[in-house]
């Protein structure tokens, strides 16, 4: 399964070499994975459940990208002042006050660092889904955090057990 942003500059098949039917894709603004909430119907949660339980995927990649408008909007709420549905979607990222402060600091220091931090947060959210947690516990599922650099085409991946990203 490949979870990425709906940004048209992010084309998973192009940088993974995947053909039709090779990867199950979930594309959403900001590659956001909402925390599991059983009382709320959610397209992202249903896609995750289908991929993990129905298809039995062995790997899930959460792939963010540089220059992401959603990440920038988290750091600067004025960017979504006229987009209430986008703002509500961004609320799924985490505690917005904390996320905004952290991402604003990252954006000021390093655009790529902000995208990396955001991807790692989404990976944490993914683990709150019971089907994911069950498969992780049995060792039948692996999670991966990637960031795609839209200006260079480089893909960075988080090293297992670390927040450090390296070129793939």
């Amino acid at each position: 399964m490949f979870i990425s942003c709906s940004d048209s500059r992010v084309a998973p098949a192009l940088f993974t070499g995947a053909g039709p039917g090779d990867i199950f894709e979930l594309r959403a603004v900001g590659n956001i994975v909402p925390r599991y909430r059983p009382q709320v119907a959610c397209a992202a949660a249903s896609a995750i459940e289908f991929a993990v339980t129905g298809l039995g995927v062995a790997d899930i990649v959460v792939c963010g990208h540089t220059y992401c408008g959603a990440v920038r909007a988290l750091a600067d709420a004025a960017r979504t002042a006229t987009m209430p549905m986008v703002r509500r979607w961004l609320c799924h990222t985490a505690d917005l006050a904390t996320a905004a402060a952290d991402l604003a600091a990252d954006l000021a220091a390093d655009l790529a660092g902000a995208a990396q931090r955001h991807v790692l947060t989404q990976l944490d959210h993914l683990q709150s889904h019971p089907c994911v947690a069950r498969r992780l516990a049995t060792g039948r599922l692996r999670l991966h955090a990637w960031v795609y650099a839209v200006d260079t085409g480089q893909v960075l991946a988080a090293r297992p057990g670390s927040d450090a990203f390296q070129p793939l």
Side-chain angles (χ1 to χ4, degrees):
M1 178 175 201
F2 201 92
I3 301 171
S4 63
C5 187
S6 51
D7 188 310
S8 62
R9 297 171 295 177
V10 180
L14 290 178
F15 61 86
T16 63
D22 287 345
I23 54 178
F24 184 78
E25 290 186 44
L26 169 59
R27 299 191 55 153
V29 170
N31 54 272
I32 290 173
V33 176
R35 288 191 182 280
Y36 182 74
R37 293 177 27 201
Q39 70 280 12
V40 177
C42 173
S46 66
I48 292 163
E49 184 176 69
F50 179 74
V52 172
T53 304
L55 299 176
V57 299
D59 293 276
I60 300 177
V61 174
V62 177
C63 183
H65 66 94
T66 56
Y67 307 105
C68 181
V71 172
R72 288 177 182 234
L74 282 167
D76 179 7
R79 291 178 176 268
T80 57
T82 60
M83 297 180 277
M85 295 308 290
V86 172
R87 190 74 189 145
R88 285 185 65 195
W89 178 247
L90 295 178
C91 287
H92 287 296
T93 59
D95 171 52
L96 278 184
T98 301
D102 291 346
L103 286 170
D106 284 347
L107 280 170
D110 176 18
L111 287 172
Q116 291 170 4
R117 181 185 193 102
H118 180 67
V119 167
L120 292 170
T121 297
Q122 303 321 302
L123 214 59
D124 286 343
H125 292 182
L126 185 58
Q127 294 176 64
S128 73
H129 292 253
C131 62
V132 171
R134 282 191 300 274
R135 293 277 305 283
L136 285 170
T138 62
R140 297 181 306 148
L141 182 64
R142 292 175 302 272
L143 303 181
H144 311 273
W146 291 8
V147 172
Y148 173 69
V150 297
D151 53 343
T152 66
Q154 184 178 42
V155 179
L156 302 173
R159 291 185 307 183
S162 168
D163 291 351
F165 281 73
Q166 299 178 318
L168 268 182

